[in-house]
Amino acid sequence: MPMTLHVGPESILSDVQQQFQSCFPGFKLEFFFSSADNIKPSIKLHHSFPFVSIGELCSPIAPSKFVIKESMTIRELEQKFRRKFGLPARVYMRDGQYWQKKASMDKIRLSTQTEVQVPSLPIIAMHRFVAPDFSLQMGS
C-alpha cells in the first residue's frame, strides 16, 4: 500500500521525517543541505533545523501529494524529493542498532518489512585484576 505525504510550503521537515519513518520503520529520512543546493540564502529562519518549514528553505512550491510506493528504490525516492521539492533527501537503512548509507543500498526497495537483522555479538571485556595491596612506587 503506497504512503502519501501531503507536502506544502508550511510542512515542517521533522514532521515529514516522522511520517516517513512511521510507515517505513527500517528506514530513516534525512535532509542534508550543501552550498550547491538551491535554498533561499537570504532568508532568516524562524526555527532551528529540522523544525523549519519547507517554504523557509526552498523555492516556492505548491502543496501537493507525494506518493511513496514500497516498490520504489532508495535512490528513486531520493531523486523524487529532489525533483519535486528541491530537497536533498538521504535515506538510511537500519542495520542492527545503527543507521547506514552505502551506495550499494541505492537499489534496495522500500518495504515496511525490510529491516536488516544483525545478530548481536557479545562484547567481552578484558579485566585485569589488581591486588588491593598494590602500591605505585615511582623512581625506585
Side-chain angles (χ1 to χ4, degrees):
M1 182 169 154
M3 170 196 181
T4 302
L5 291 175
H6 297 278
V7 180
E10 72 289 342
S11 299
I12 305 296
L13 290 180
S14 61
D15 292 342
V16 173
Q17 291 169 313
Q18 287 175 357
Q19 287 178 53
F20 175 80
Q21 195 161 8
S22 69
C23 286
F24 301 101
F27 297 93
K28 181 178 179 183
L29 177 64
E30 293 287 341
F31 299 101
F32 290 98
F33 295 88
S34 70
S35 58
D37 290 311
N38 190 18
I39 62 170
K40 298 176 186 176
S42 62
I43 196 158
K44 293 184 180 174
L45 300 177
H46 301 287
H47 305 283
S48 63
F49 195 83
F51 302 104
V52 175
S53 70
I54 292 173
E56 289 179 280
L57 290 174
C58 301
S59 300
I61 62 166
S64 65
K65 291 181 182 179
F66 189 80
V67 178
I68 301 172
K69 298 177 184 176
E70 291 179 355
S71 62
M72 293 175 74
T73 64
I74 289 174
R75 185 72 183 142
E76 289 170 339
L77 178 62
E78 291 171 348
Q79 290 173 342
K80 189 172 183 176
F81 267 102
R82 174 73 73 178
R83 275 192 320 273
K84 193 151 183 152
F85 305 114
L87 291 173
R90 301 289 180 268
V91 177
Y92 290 78
M93 197 166 103
R94 185 182 299 274
D95 187 357
Q97 296 179 8
Y98 302 98
W99 294 103
Q100 290 192 0
K101 174 71 176 161
K102 298 179 196 173
S104 61
M105 294 178 174
D106 284 350
K107 294 181 181 179
I108 292 176
R109 299 206 178 277
L110 299 173
S111 169
T112 53
Q113 275 70 37
T114 301
E115 185 170 336
V116 177
Q117 297 295 326
V118 176
S120 57
L121 300 174
I123 298 173
I124 300 172
M126 301 298 290
H127 296 283
R128 293 189 180 180
F129 178 72
V130 178
D133 61 347
F134 176 80
S135 62
L136 181 62
Q137 297 175 2
M138 296 185 66
S140 305

